[in-house]
Each structure stands twice: as structure tokens, then as C-alpha cells.
Amino acid sequence: MQNKGLIKFFAILFALVSIYQLSFTFVANSVKSEAKAFAGDNPDKELKYLDSIGKVKVYNLGFTDFTYNEVKNKQLNKGLDLEGGINVILQISIKDVLKGLANNSKNPVFNKSLADASANLEGNKTYLNKFFEAFEANSNGTTKLASPDIFANRGLQGDGGIDFQMSDSQVQKVIKRKVDESVESAYKVLRERIDKFGVTQPNIQKLGETGRILVELPGAKDVDRIKKLLGGKAQLEFWETYKIEEVGNFLVAANEALKKTEIKKTETKTVAKDSLNALLTDAKDSVDTKKGNNPLFDKMLGQGGGPVLGYFAPKDTAVINGYLKRQDIRILLAADQHNAKFVWSKPTTIKDAKQKDIEAVELYALKGNRDNTPAMAGGVVTDAKDTFDQLGKPAVSMQMNSQGAKIWEELTGRAFSQKSYIAIVLDNVVYSAPGVTSGPIAGGRSEITGSFDVAETKDLANILNAGKLPASADIIQSTVVGPSLGQAAIDAGTISSVLGFLLVCLWMVFYYGKAGWYANLALLLNLLFLFGIMASFGFVLTLPGIAGIVLTLGTAVDANIIIFERAKEELREGKSLSEAVVASYGWHGAMRSIIDANVTHVLTGAILFIFGTGPIKGFALTLLIGIVTSLFTSIFIARIFIDRNIAGKGDLTFSTNITKNWFTNFHFDFIKIKKFTYIFSSIVVVVSLVSIFFVNGLDEGVDFVGGRTFQVKFEKPIDATVVSDELSAAFGTPVEAKILGDDDQLKITTKYKIKEDGVAVDEEVNKKLYDALAKYFPNVTYEKFTNTFDGKKVGVLQSSKVGASISEDIKTNSYWAVLGAMAVIFLYLMISFRKWQYSLGAIAAVAHDVIFVLGIYSLCYKFMPFHMEMDQHFIAAILTVIGYSMNDTVIVFDRIREFIIGNRKGSFEDIVNASINTTLSRTLNTSLMMIIVLLTMFIFGGESIRGFIFAMLIGIVVGTYSSLFIATPVLVDTISKDDKHTIEDKHNAA
């Protein structure tokens, strides 16, 4: 081997760098263990301890040292499925951005196009492109995007803007740029919010040109708080309010009108009836009011006062909103109140008739106008701080600019003279509505008070300082993983990795003897390089990533197996050990097969990385890195040990006494039985397709159809059917509950309001889930049930949400990923082998494998003891199967090509049979390695990836079969007779 010294130098250098990079992970984990021991079971105390030592030197190398913060930033990053935390994908509303750019245009073509774009949005299509398509169809040339009442408004004129003469295509370029600027602005606002929140190693990134932003917050535990932080638009407004006596008559009239259209659904609530006596003194039919036949007042929990019109249950707000938006109800407003805007407060606590605390929201009527604009917008606020009011309660103080100070003085002066109130509204929610008792307020200072805790005021000040988002940011996908679940995943991954490594090492030593030891040393170094690269470049390790590492254990020895098998052939032909090694490492020995096989791996891994998200991208990344490091160690490092043996004892045989004659002189006629294999595979394919399309279908997970899933741990074994029925009744829609692993753990799936976005909806779903299951958790509060924390034993351990829009994208990407992988491999093989028949045989085998695996999942998902859902993990498994199926097939095809070029006598079928038989040892050995590590992962890798591993396990078995009994026979059958005769004449003439 040339440049052996240089390879040794780089190997030692890479090893030292890897050890150096990984040392930070060991130190960081050691410090965390000390913090955990110091804090006991108190996560807040642990966090404070770690914060306190952030600038303390904890790692000394002699020539330099590092603080804990520096060590923490250099450690190997763990994904949320291992670390615990929250992952969300936010969709910036492009519709809101367009409305803003068009200055809230009333143009009917513009507004219809906005609505059509929302209704017709397809998977993997951007909203902006759909809007342009809809506008072109709706305008039909009669209306231009550059119309004065659309985008050629005053706000978009000027340099780089839009003028009246522009064509639609020119306007589209400007609008695309403006939309990109809005998304960039949203990204910066969210970045600033997150930085001030103080989460360790947050990750925030824009996802292409989709208007989506990915946010990962490792270690974050307060689910509702984080979602409010991310989803709040931070649109601060100051509105004048009506007082209850000003709109009381309207409420009475509205209640009377509703009696005629609404069916009485609830009994009168005593609190509401009694508290309304003062309000209803002018009502003629006060007797009827007391009978409980009052659609509006029966829902009132308590009387308001001042600007508060009344207290209502949060669950009733949607119904009340529906009432107050009806035209036949709004027409009852006084002439000067027709633009009134009804809004709700943030939840607060009041006493019911039995003096029991209950949650309620306040109803306000704001003084609106024709343009629906507030008396003062929040853009005038220049600074916000969390503080405490005069009563010592948490509050937020604000400082306004000079313009805002002037408006604020006028506004407070008017409120003082009229004895009215000013509502402070954030994102359409009233936080407080104070009166003014001491005259106009000069200087532009104000304060937001209300039922806050300290964390809420800190977040509110953070949001106001970061600035408002240019458009609403809806959470369309989220995953919440508890730290205890993450630790369980780490334990399962560690056990399966170590066990898989040991099994592979034992088999290599058993089968190849001393050469197996050399391969194992190379494998060990491969793992060091792999982890070192991940730590060096800040890549994230995920649970599927651990699966990728375990798979690397199986494939890392694949190159050595190919080389060792080739060396045994050369030795059997009478060559010396050194000659056999040189030949086996040559291009016409094993190298061509190794390169072809690994290129197919790289292609499928790259496609998986491009189309995958989150943990799947982590799996693909680990797989790609593993391919590179395993090739380096297998080809170069193992060679160094082999060459040292040759220079010394020279006793390598690449086998043991037990295995030296295995698969030698094997002469099975694979082509002869092709009719039987065709019939068997055809039956399997037909049965699979019938099951998929006509009988069972596939168990599509929320990744493909949208929905919410919760992994809930109960205190004792639970009946999934009973829970499913109870939750279905509570949600008013079917809810699926399945046993997940142990019989005290359920996976709960619901599509309740999945097409509705917003933090309030997410919180509503969480509360409905808790209320329905509260009887199973008598000593668990809502916060402890929903939020994650160290050592959590019961409640929601993991949750995820996939919105309807993103599920379409995931499904579309999955189809393209599978089809793209097959197309790219087809083209590569056609270029590499220069005959389309090789590509056709390989693709036929891959299509067979994919249908076979899909058929197994369709036929078995209803009764298997583990979940077999179609999701991103399954697509990753399918692509991995494609890669490994190609691997087996390419090795056989390389040998066929080699024998065709060579001088082997016999018919074309004889040459093909010889090719398969002489590569059988390599094929079965590699497949056996894969099966061993996959079985290890299947048994010990954890419930969450069991279905994912099962798909690969089935795929590897079927892929081995198809490479021998499908790909090669298809190649034989599609080669023309003339080509076969030419090959046979050439070989037999020699």
C-alpha cells in the first residue's frame, strides 16, 4: 500500500482530534451529574447551580482551560428524543403578510385569491405561488397586481417598490422579496425571544422558502409557556372601552333575540341570575330571565363591573363569539356602537356560588372604528421591564417614545375626564383595563397589571422588547419529549449499540479468525471517528441516529468482508498471501464492487437527508458519516494491520478451521428455479397490493394525515378501549388509544381541531385530555400532567402535533424521496454498467422489496404487538432498505460483469450462476451482520423505533432474496439472445 506513513499520520491525528472533541462531552456530563446530585430531585435548583458555574473553569488541559459554558457548547449535541425538550415548526402566515403589503385591500379579486390559495393549497406548494396562480385565474387579465388598491399603494412605492406600469411578473418578484424580508424579520424576532428565554443550545433555522421556521429547545419543560412565547404575534394595542352600563341594554336585547333562535341547553346558573339583577332592572321580562331560558346570560358565571361585561367559562367563548358576530344581533347595538369590538381577557380565577375557585375569562367591548384600528398601537413602546406594582404583584412597566407619550397623555386625559377605561390588548387578548384616577399621564410611562406570575411578566417583557412578528406564527408541527423518556432512549440505544457491536465482533472473529480481529480494530476506530466528527461539527445525535450508528456497525465490516472473500479466492487460485492481498485491494479485485455498493448507499442517504426532517435527518446524517468513516477504516486501517502480519508471521488465511470450507464449491442453479421465484414473488406482490388498496389499507400515522399524539403513562395498567371511548366522548370526535409497550402506557391519537392553528387550541386540547383522564391521576395537577420534568413517572411523557398543511408536505416529500431514490440509482447503474438491463433488474428487485414490506405492514398492523404506522421513520426504513438491497445486487452484478469480461466457459446462464455462487459467502455474511444488529435494535432499542427497525429487518431479508432470485433473473431474461450468443462464443472459443 502506497503512502502508508501518511495514512498512519492522518489516522493518529483524526483519533487525537476525536478524543479531544469527545472529552468535552465527558466533562459536561460529569458536571451535570454533580449538579443533579447537589439538587436532588429539584430541576430548578439544578438549573440554578449550572447557571452559577457557567463562567467557572471546569476543564484544565495544562496549556489551556475551559469554563463550563465553553465545555457545554463543545459537547456532543443530543436531539430532543434523547435530551428531552420541545421542537416546533412555525408557519409564518404569508396571507397576513400579503394583506399587510396590500394595506388590507378590499379588492374582491385580491381577497378571493387569498381565500382560494388557502383552500387549494397542496402538498409541497408554497402559499405565495398558489396565491399568484389564483390571482391570475380570478382576474383573467382584468385586474393587475400593480393596481393602486392592491400592491401599488403608497407603502410599496419608491425605489425597489411597485409602480402602476409594472406587469404581474414584475410585481411577483417584488412581492417575493418583501415576503422573504418578512420571514427574515420574523426569524430575527423569534431568535431574540429565544435568546432572552435562556434555553441551553437552542436551534432556530428557516426551512427553505416555505415561510416556516424550525425551533428546537433542548431541556425546555413548560409546554404552554414555550408555545405562548413562540406563537405570540406581540401586537400590542391600546383601546378605549365601553362601560357595562353603556352596553347593558344591548346585552339584554341580544339575550331576548337569541331566545327566538336558540334552544335552551343549560340550566340557569345561580351566580349569573343573581348578579344580573342590577343590570336587568330595565328589562321588562325579568321573570323570564330567572327561568333559565337565557342563551346569553345562562352562560355567565359572574357579574362584571366597569369595563368588564361579565365572566364566562373559557369553553363557552366560541359560542358567545358566534352570538356576538351574528348580523341580527349586532344590529341591536346603538348607532354609535356599531363598530364595537368584543374581546376576552386572559384567564383569571373567580369564586362560584359555593365559594370555590373556578377559571373564567372577562368579556370586554372596545370602542372600534370603521378601520378597526386602536386608539394607539404598540409600536410606540421603546422598552419593557418585568417589575412589581404598588401591591407587590408582578407587572410589566413600559416606556413610550415621544409620539406615543403625547398620544398616551391625550388618551389618559380623556379617560380621566370621562371616568372611562383603557384596555391594554396583546394579540387580541385584554391583559388589563385600568381607569385613570389622577389626571393625564405625561412622560410616556405605563404599566400592565393583571393576574400574572413572575415567569409571565418576564416573558411578556421579553416579547415586547423583541418586537412584534410581521404576521401570525402558527405552530403547525410540534414534538414534546420528557427528559425521563429521553434518558430511557439513551439507555436503550446504549444497550443495543454495545450488544450489536459485540455480536458483530464475535462473528467476524469466528468467521475470519485473525483477519476478523483486524476488522474489529478498524471498526472500533470507525466509531471513534464517527462520534468525533459529529462532536467537531456540532451535529445532533438522535435516537434514529443511534439506530444509524448500529447499522453502521453492520455495514462497516461489509467492505472488509468483500476484501476478505476476494483474498480467499486469490489464495485458492495459488497466489501468495501478499499477492492475494494486493489483488483483493485492487480495482479489479474488491474496490470496484465496494465503490459501486457504497455509492448507492450515499445516494439514498443523501435523498433521505434532503427530504427528511428532525430525527430522520439525524439518521441520514449519521448514516452518511458512517459510510465515509467505515470506508476509510475498512480499506486503509485494516490494511495496515494486514500488511504488518505479512511482514511478520504471514499466517493469515482469512478463515478459521471451522469456516474455511464454507460456501466453497457451491453450485446451486439459481436461474433454473426462476419460474418458481417469479410465481412466489408475483403472488406476494398481488396479495400485498390487494391488501393495501382494497382490504386493510395502511395505518397512516399523523405525519401523513395530521393529528396530535400523546404518550401517556398511567399509575397502573389501563384498558385502552375504555380510555378511547371516554376520550372520544370528551372530544366529540373519534380518539384512538393503543397500548404502547407496557400495559400502563398508551399512545393516544386525535384529529380534534387539527385544521385550526394557535396556542389557544393547543392548550384547549391539553386541558380536554387532562379533564377526561383526571380520574386516573388523582394526585396530579394539570401542570404536572402536561409539562415535562426530570424524573417524571406518570402523565404525558411525549406529545406531538402535525398540522394538516405540513402533513401534506411530508406525504409528498415521502413519495418523491422513494421515487427519486429509485430513479437516481437506476441512472447510476446504467452509467456504471453501461447496459440498461442491469438497472432494470436492480429496480425490479427494489420495487419488489418495497411492495413486500408495505404488504407486510398492511396485513399485520392490526394485530402486531407494536405499532406499524406509515410515518417519516417508515419512509427512512424504506429508503434504507433500497440502499442495502442495491448493495447486495451490485455485488452480484459486479461479479457477473467481471466473469463476462473474463474467460469463464459455459453458457450465459452458467456464467451468471457462477457469479451468484462465488459471491454467496459475501452476500449471506453481510446480510447476517445486518440481521444481527437489527434484531438487537428491535429487541433492546426501545418501543418508539421498533416499527421502524422491523421494516428494515423485513427489508434486509427480502432484499437478500430479491438480489439473488429477482434482480439477476430479470437481467438474464432482458439480455437479448444475440448478446448472449456473442458472450458465449467469446468465452467458449478460448
Side-chain angles (χ1 to χ4, degrees):
M1 181 173 63
Q2 300 295 322
N3 300 317
K4 190 184 301 183
L6 188 63
I7 291 171
K8 286 182 180 179
F9 170 77
F10 278 114
I12 293 171
L13 180 63
F14 289 160
L16 290 175
V17 170
S18 297
I19 292 170
Y20 169 76
Q21 290 292 344
L22 291 173
S23 67
F24 292 101
T25 302
F26 290 113
V27 173
N29 289 338
S30 176
V31 174
K32 288 179 184 177
S33 297
E34 293 174 4
K36 195 177 289 290
F38 170 79
D41 292 328
N42 188 332
D44 292 331
K45 189 176 180 181
E46 179 185 341
L47 187 60
K48 288 179 180 177
Y49 175 85
L50 292 174
D51 287 341
S52 68
I53 65 169
K55 296 182 180 179
V56 176
K57 305 290 186 182
V58 297
Y59 188 26
N60 191 334
L61 289 174
F63 58 89
T64 186
D65 49 27
F66 300 90
T67 65
Y68 173 66
N69 284 341
E70 291 171 332
V71 168
K72 180 178 63 176
N73 291 332
K74 290 177 178 291
Q75 69 176 332
L76 179 63
N77 296 325
K78 295 193 290 286
L80 296 185
D81 50 359
L82 300 179
E83 180 78 7
I86 299 174
N87 168 308
V88 302
I89 293 179
L90 295 156
Q91 175 71 67
I92 304 301
S93 175
I94 307 302
K95 182 178 182 179
D96 284 357
V97 174
L98 292 175
K99 281 184 174 181
L101 292 174
N103 202 19
N104 291 311
S105 172
K106 301 295 191 295
N107 184 286
V109 173
F110 172 77
N111 285 289
K112 186 176 188 308
S113 300
L114 290 175
D116 289 349
S118 298
N120 301 323
L121 197 60
E122 301 169 351
N124 234 19
K125 294 283 187 178
T126 66
Y127 180 90
L128 187 59
N129 287 334
K130 294 301 292 185
F131 166 76
F132 289 146
E133 291 175 10
F135 188 88
E136 184 178 354
N138 291 327
S139 67
N140 198 23
T142 61
T143 307
K144 294 178 62 180
L145 289 170
S147 298
D149 62 339
I150 304 180
F151 291 126
N153 56 62
R154 187 174 300 174
L156 286 177
Q157 291 178 359
D159 292 340
I162 297 172
D163 59 50
F164 309 131
Q165 286 77 38
M166 280 186 169
S167 65
D168 281 357
S169 61
Q170 291 174 315
V171 173
Q172 287 177 11
K173 293 178 181 178
V174 177
I175 296 302
K176 284 181 179 179
R177 189 181 75 248
K178 293 292 184 181
V179 167
D180 288 342
E181 290 173 357
S182 295
V183 174
E184 179 66 25
S185 174
Y187 170 81
K188 290 178 179 177
V189 169
L190 290 169
R191 172 90 268 173
E192 190 168 348
R193 290 186 190 179
I194 291 165
D195 287 344
K196 291 182 179 180
F197 187 72
V199 178
T200 303
Q201 294 178 307
N203 174 36
I204 174 170
Q205 54 184 285
K206 292 182 292 183
L207 301 179
E209 299 180 354
T210 61
R212 291 171 182 163
I213 297 174
L214 168 69
V215 179
E216 292 181 318
L217 304 176
K221 298 176 174 66
D222 193 331
V223 178
D224 291 337
R225 181 184 173 195
I226 291 292
K227 289 185 176 181
K228 288 176 182 175
L229 175 76
L230 297 175
K233 187 177 178 182
Q235 182 168 314
L236 181 66
E237 298 170 334
F238 301 86
W239 293 77
E240 295 179 280
T241 72
Y242 291 107
K243 292 179 282 190
I244 188 170
E245 54 265 29
E246 293 176 310
V247 293
N249 287 334
F250 160 71
L251 295 177
V252 173
N255 185 66
E256 292 300 312
L258 289 167
K259 287 181 182 180
K260 301 174 182 178
T261 60
E262 300 298 305
I263 300 172
K264 186 177 76 170
K265 298 177 181 177
T266 59
E267 296 180 1
T268 305
K269 293 179 173 59
T270 305
V271 175
K273 180 179 67 178
D274 294 343
S275 63
L276 284 171
N277 285 338
L279 178 64
L280 299 176
T281 51
D282 294 332
K284 296 179 181 179
D285 195 10
S286 59
V287 176
D288 285 346
T289 301
K290 296 181 180 180
K291 292 180 180 178
N293 189 25
N294 300 283
L296 182 61
F297 295 144
D298 286 349
K299 294 187 179 299
M300 193 178 289
L301 300 178
Q303 181 186 10
V308 179
L309 307 185
Y311 294 86
F312 296 81
K315 66 181 179 63
D316 290 331
T317 56
V319 175
I320 302 299
N321 285 339
Y323 291 161
L324 298 177
K325 287 179 181 178
R326 282 171 42 174
Q327 288 301 313
D328 61 323
I329 300 300
R330 290 194 65 86
I331 202 172
L332 301 175
L333 286 160
D336 60 344
Q337 297 174 354
H338 277 172
N339 293 314
K341 180 178 180 180
F342 293 95
V343 295
W344 301 95
S345 73
K346 66 188 296 288
T348 186
T349 302
I350 65 171
K351 300 285 186 182
D352 65 6
K354 298 180 180 179
Q355 297 302 301
K356 182 180 178 182
D357 287 343
I358 57 173
E359 188 178 57
V361 288
E362 303 160 343
L363 179 64
Y364 291 85
L366 308 181
K367 292 184 178 181
N369 51 45
R370 183 177 299 176
D371 296 325
N372 196 32
T373 56
M376 185 172 72
V380 299
V381 175
T382 58
D383 186 42
K385 295 180 180 178
D386 57 295
T387 182
F388 295 90
D389 63 15
Q390 295 177 344
L391 299 176
K393 294 182 178 180
V396 175
S397 66
M398 298 178 295
Q399 177 62 53
M400 304 172 187
N401 59 23
S402 57
Q403 179 187 4
K406 182 180 179 181
I407 299 174
W408 185 242
E409 187 172 359
E410 295 174 356
L411 196 57
T412 53
R414 189 159 59 247
F416 173 73
S417 62
Q418 297 177 359
K419 305 300 180 186
S420 58
Y421 302 84
I422 301 172
I424 301 174
V425 183
L426 183 69
D427 292 342
N428 217 35
V429 174
V430 176
Y431 275 70
S432 62
V436 180
T437 58
S438 56
I441 301 174
R445 292 204 66 84
S446 184
E447 191 174 69
I448 304 177
T449 59
S451 55
F452 297 112
D453 59 31
V454 174
E456 286 178 309
T457 55
K458 285 183 181 295
D459 290 346
L460 183 53
N462 174 5
I463 288 172
L464 293 176
N465 284 324
K468 74 172 186 177
L469 291 170
S472 61
D474 296 322
I475 297 175
I476 58 173
Q477 182 175 348
S478 66
T479 303
V480 180
V481 182
S484 56
L485 199 63
Q487 186 58 49
I490 292 174
D491 295 341
T494 303
I495 292 171
S496 60
S497 299
V498 171
L499 188 56
F501 176 77
L502 291 175
L503 290 173
V504 169
C505 289
L506 286 172
W507 179 259
M508 291 299 292
V509 171
F510 168 75
Y511 199 89
Y512 294 106
K514 187 178 289 187
W517 282 110
Y518 297 156
N520 291 340
L521 289 173
L523 178 59
L524 193 60
L525 198 59
N526 170 54
L527 290 177
L528 176 63
F529 289 165
L530 197 158
F531 280 111
I533 289 173
M534 294 189 71
S536 299
F537 291 95
F539 297 144
V540 178
L541 180 65
T542 63
L543 184 56
I546 291 178
I549 291 171
V550 177
L551 283 174
T552 300
L553 299 179
T555 57
V557 296
D558 183 49
N560 283 136
I561 290 174
I562 297 172
I563 292 167
F564 294 171
E565 291 298 325
R566 188 61 184 235
K568 287 197 294 185
E569 291 177 11
E570 301 294 340
L571 287 172
R572 282 194 289 266
E573 290 181 5
K575 291 182 180 178
S576 67
L577 178 59
S578 59
E579 290 173 337
V581 168
V582 170
S584 63
Y585 275 93
W587 178 254
H588 295 291
M591 285 306 105
R592 175 183 274 185
S593 298
I594 291 171
I595 296 303
D596 279 339
N598 280 280
V599 165
T600 59
H601 277 173
V602 170
L603 290 174
T604 53
I607 288 171
L608 189 56
F609 183 80
I610 293 168
F611 287 98
T613 59
I616 301 306
K617 195 178 285 286
F619 169 76
L621 183 64
T622 306
L623 210 57
L624 288 170
I625 296 172
I627 290 169
V628 175
T629 56
S630 63
L631 282 175
F632 176 77
T633 55
S634 298
I635 294 172
F636 297 109
I637 303 302
R639 176 74 183 273
I640 291 174
F641 293 121
I642 291 172
D643 285 349
R644 285 187 63 185
N645 181 277
I646 294 173
K649 293 182 179 180
D651 58 350
L652 276 182
T653 59
F654 299 99
S655 62
T656 63
N657 290 331
I658 299 174
T659 62
K660 63 181 179 181
N661 293 319
W662 287 14
F663 299 106
T664 57
N665 300 316
F666 199 76
H667 303 291
F668 185 78
D669 194 342
F670 288 89
I671 305 302
K672 184 178 180 180
I673 64 168
K674 66 179 181 180
K675 290 183 179 179
F676 300 102
T677 57
Y678 279 168
I679 292 171
F680 169 75
S681 292
S682 297
I683 292 172
V684 169
V685 167
V686 170
V687 170
S688 297
L689 293 175
V690 169
S691 179
I692 293 168
F693 292 105
F694 303 106
V695 183
N696 289 333
L698 293 165
D699 186 15
E700 292 186 292
V702 295
D703 282 356
F704 284 2
V705 297
R708 292 177 172 86
T709 62
F710 300 88
Q711 183 175 334
V712 181
K713 185 81 169 178
F714 291 79
E715 294 179 344
K716 56 185 179 181
I718 197 76
D719 188 328
T721 304
V722 172
V723 171
S724 178
D725 292 341
E726 291 173 346
L727 290 174
S728 297
F731 281 91
T733 186
V735 177
E736 182 183 67
K738 294 180 179 179
I739 296 291
L740 183 65
D742 300 328
D743 56 5
D744 61 349
Q745 187 168 251
L746 295 182
K747 182 177 183 181
I748 295 169
T749 305
T750 176
K751 295 180 184 176
Y752 179 77
K753 289 191 176 181
I754 196 58
K755 293 186 178 181
E756 297 182 28
D757 294 313
V759 175
V761 177
D762 293 342
E763 194 169 344
E764 177 191 350
V765 174
N766 286 342
K767 288 183 176 179
K768 277 184 174 289
L769 181 69
Y770 172 72
D771 291 340
L773 299 178
K775 66 180 180 181
Y776 298 107
F777 301 93
N779 301 314
V780 179
T781 63
Y782 167 76
E783 287 73 20
K784 288 187 176 181
F785 175 82
T786 305
N787 294 328
T788 64
F789 52 88
D790 289 326
K792 184 173 184 179
K793 302 294 184 183
V794 296
V796 178
L797 302 183
Q798 180 175 359
S799 65
S800 65
K801 166 193 170 182
V802 180
S805 59
I806 200 169
S807 66
E808 280 295 318
D809 290 357
I810 292 171
K811 185 183 291 188
T812 302
N813 284 342
S814 298
Y815 292 151
W816 282 114
V818 174
L819 294 175
M822 296 174 70
V824 167
I825 289 173
F826 182 92
L827 291 173
Y828 172 75
L829 293 180
M830 191 163 63
I831 293 170
S832 177
F833 287 88
R834 295 183 175 85
K835 278 188 177 291
W836 61 266
Q837 289 91 343
Y838 287 96
S839 295
L840 182 63
I843 293 302
V846 166
H848 167 274
D849 299 343
V850 171
I851 295 172
F852 196 109
V853 175
L854 287 171
I856 291 291
Y857 269 61
S858 177
L859 291 165
C860 302
Y861 77 84
K862 292 184 179 180
F863 59 83
M864 277 291 191
F866 54 89
H867 294 285
M868 302 176 73
E869 293 180 344
M870 300 298 104
D871 56 15
Q872 293 186 84
H873 291 80
F874 179 81
I875 297 302
I878 289 294
L879 288 172
T880 307
V881 167
I882 290 174
Y884 289 113
S885 178
M886 286 294 96
N887 194 342
D888 282 343
T889 303
V890 164
I891 296 299
V892 176
F893 282 0
D894 266 321
R895 181 55 60 90
I896 292 173
R897 176 172 56 185
E898 178 188 341
F899 279 9
I900 287 175
I901 295 173
N903 297 313
R904 183 173 290 268
K905 296 184 182 295
S907 67
F908 183 78
E909 285 76 7
D910 292 336
I911 295 172
V912 171
N913 271 319
S915 303
I916 300 174
N917 281 296
T918 53
T919 58
L920 199 58
S921 180
R922 178 266 159 197
T923 299
L924 296 181
N925 257 318
T926 301
S927 297
L928 182 61
M929 292 296 95
M930 294 299 301
I931 291 169
I932 286 174
V933 295
L934 287 171
L935 272 176
T936 304
M937 283 296 291
F938 182 76
I939 296 170
F940 300 103
E943 184 66 34
S944 61
I945 60 170
R946 191 155 286 151
F948 163 60
I949 296 298
F950 183 73
M952 284 195 284
L953 188 58
I954 296 297
I956 296 302
V957 174
V958 176
T960 304
Y961 160 83
S962 67
S963 65
L964 300 175
F965 297 104
I966 301 297
T968 310
V970 168
L971 169 66
V972 171
D973 289 342
T974 52
I975 293 285
S976 67
K977 290 183 179 180
D978 290 340
D979 285 345
K980 289 179 183 178
H981 289 319
T982 300
I983 293 169
E984 289 169 352
D985 291 343
K986 172 191 169 184
H987 282 255
N988 295 320

